[in-house]
Amino acid sequence: MNEMTKIETTLKDWETDQEVRWCPGCGDYAILKAVQRTLPQLGADPKNTVFVSGIGCSSRFPYYMESYGFHTIHGRAPAFATGIKLANPDLDVWLVTGDGDGLSIGGNHMMHVLRRNVNMQIMLFNNEIYGLTKGQYSPTSREHTRTPSTPLGSVDHPANPCAFALGSGARFVGRGIDVSKNLPDVLMAAHAHQGAAFIEIFQNCIVYNKDVFDDFAKPKGAEQQQLWLSHGEPMLFGSEKTGGVKGLKLNTQAFAFEVVDVADGDWQAAGVQVHDATNRMLAHMLVELPFGEFPMPLGVIYDDPAPTYEAAVMAEKERASAGKDTSIARLLAKGQTWTVSGTASDPV
C-alpha cells in the first residue's frame, strides 16, 4: 500500500453544494466543521477519501463531504467500509456512526472491524438517544432516562463505547466533544494511527436529550471536569481559577486511581501519573472511571499500532498467486472450452 499523497486544500474544498440539514443547534454541525478543518491539515485528497455511514442523524455526513461517500444500511457501515478498504487499500476511509447505529444493530459489525484492525477512522457520535426516530432510549442512555420507549425510566445499564472498543481489540481509542477545540487534534491522531482508530464523540442532541453532557461539557468550569490526555504528559486537570490544579495518582496497592491536589505546579511531588497511551491496562482503567468521582478522560486514551487486516489479506493474496497465471481471461480460456457461433434466430 502506498502512503497518502498529500495535497493542499481548504475547508471550502470539502464542502458540498448540499444544504446541511440537522436540527438547529445540533452538535453534528460542530463535528462536521471539525472534520472539514482537519482534512486540509492532513493534506488529504478528496479524490482519495471515502466517508461511509449507516442510518441515523450522524449518517447524513457523507452528503456534506466533497469526497466519495456511501450511505449504507442500519448498522452495516463497518462491513461496507471493510469491503471498500480491501478493494482499494490506498483509499482513506472514514466511518461515521452513532450510538444506536454502531452499538445496537451494528454492534456485531463494529466488534469485527475493530478486532480485525482494518485501517480506517471510526467516529461514533454518542448523544445517548435515538434522535432520528424521535427520541427512544439507546444502548448508551443512562439508567432512569425517560423516553417514549421508556416512559417510567430506562432500567438498562448503559454501554460504554470506549470500553466496548477496547474489549473488541481496538488498537486506538480516543474521545472528544462536539464543540471542543481539541477535537481536531484527536482526529489527526486517529488518522496518523495505522489500523482501526475508534473515536467516541459526545454530541449534544438539542431536541431529545438536550445538555445531557453539561456535567462535564459545559464551557463554564469544564477545566475541573475534563481530563485531556496526552502521551508522556502528566494526568492533570483543573486550574487555579476553577478550584485548583488536580491530578490522577495511581494507588499501586489498591490498583486504582485517586484524585490528588497539585501545589505550585509540582505534579511529581503529588505523585501524578504520566499517561502512557501504549498501556492497554491503563486505558481500561481510564475508560471505566466513574464520572463524578473523577473527571471525564478525553483525548487519545490508547494508541498502540499493530499490523492491519488489509495488509495481511494483500500479503496472503500475493503468496497465493506467486508463480501462477492470474489473468482471468487466460484462466477462462484454459482446458475444455468451446465457442458458440451463430445468432438467436438460427435453428438449434
Side-chain angles (χ1 to χ4, degrees):
M1 292 171 285
N2 299 322
E3 287 195 18
M4 184 181 75
T5 301
K6 295 185 178 182
I7 69 167
E8 188 172 325
T9 62
T10 67
L11 182 151
K12 293 291 184 183
D13 293 318
W14 294 93
E15 294 179 335
T16 69
D17 59 358
Q18 300 297 300
E19 178 188 0
V20 182
R21 297 183 64 183
W22 285 302
C23 299
C26 175
D28 287 358
Y29 286 99
I31 301 172
L32 176 65
K33 285 303 177 186
V35 173
Q36 290 173 334
R37 288 196 304 270
T38 300
L39 290 167
Q41 297 180 62
L42 297 172
D45 185 347
K47 296 178 181 178
N48 199 51
T49 305
V50 187
F51 281 84
V52 186
S53 67
I55 296 296
C57 296
S58 63
S59 294
R60 301 177 67 87
F61 216 87
Y63 296 101
Y64 309 138
M65 296 301 303
E66 189 59 47
S67 66
Y68 291 104
F70 284 81
H71 188 179
T72 70
I73 52 182
H74 205 187
R76 273 66 177 183
F80 282 85
T82 299
I84 292 166
K85 196 66 180 178
L86 288 177
N88 187 350
D90 292 331
L91 290 175
D92 189 13
V93 178
W94 295 73
L95 194 157
V96 186
T97 186
D99 47 304
D101 180 64
L103 295 179
S104 185
I105 190 171
N108 183 52
H109 293 280
M110 182 66 71
M111 177 185 73
H112 293 304
V113 78
L114 291 171
R115 73 169 180 83
R116 283 172 169 158
N117 200 33
V118 186
N119 190 20
M120 65 180 71
Q121 296 74 238
I122 302 167
M123 297 187 295
L124 186 140
F125 297 11
N126 182 12
N127 56 21
E128 297 188 2
I129 208 77
Y130 276 106
L132 183 69
T133 51
K134 307 300 182 285
Q136 301 90 338
Y137 83 117
S138 83
T140 59
S141 295
R142 303 176 195 186
E143 293 177 22
H144 313 303
T145 298
R146 292 179 178 269
T147 74
S149 55
T150 54
L152 300 180
S154 169
V155 298
D156 284 8
H157 181 68
N160 181 328
C162 287
F164 171 87
L166 285 168
S168 298
R171 309 294 303 194
F172 180 103
V173 174
R175 266 198 191 129
I177 301 172
D178 50 10
V179 296
S180 172
K181 63 181 181 181
N182 296 325
L183 180 57
D185 293 333
V186 182
L187 297 175
M188 291 181 72
H191 190 270
H193 176 88
Q194 290 298 300
F198 180 90
I199 314 108
E200 176 188 13
I201 304 174
F202 295 112
Q203 179 258 323
N204 186 29
C205 177
I206 198 74
V207 175
Y208 297 111
N209 215 13
K210 184 181 178 183
D211 301 333
V212 70
F213 302 119
D214 263 8
D215 46 4
F216 65 86
K218 198 171 184 178
K220 188 175 181 180
E223 297 95 335
Q224 290 296 122
Q225 305 300 332
Q226 298 178 11
L227 171 63
W228 284 95
L229 298 160
S230 182
H231 180 68
E233 296 295 327
M235 297 181 181
L236 298 172
F237 62 99
S239 70
E240 295 299 341
K241 295 181 180 179
T242 58
V245 178
K246 301 180 184 298
L248 293 192
K249 176 182 178 180
L250 183 60
N251 184 325
T252 54
Q253 288 185 326
F255 202 64
F257 280 116
E258 56 188 48
V259 175
V260 294
D261 292 315
V262 177
D264 301 322
D266 194 350
W267 60 267
Q268 291 172 310
V272 175
Q273 178 72 29
V274 172
H275 183 45
D276 179 1
T278 67
N279 189 321
R280 193 175 191 84
M281 186 60 68
L282 198 64
H284 275 286
M285 293 177 68
L286 286 166
V287 301
E288 294 286 3
L289 286 177
F291 180 75
E293 299 176 43
F294 296 90
M296 178 61 69
L298 299 161
V300 179
I301 298 170
Y302 182 61
D303 184 0
D304 189 20
T308 65
Y309 179 68
E310 68 276 12
V313 170
M314 294 301 112
E316 184 179 62
K317 179 182 176 182
E318 289 180 9
R319 290 195 301 270
S321 60
K324 299 178 181 178
D325 187 351
T326 58
S327 167
I328 294 295
R330 288 195 294 271
L331 287 171
L332 290 175
K334 290 177 71 173
Q336 295 181 344
T337 63
W338 59 92
T339 301
V340 178
S341 60
T343 65
S345 60
D346 291 341
V348 178

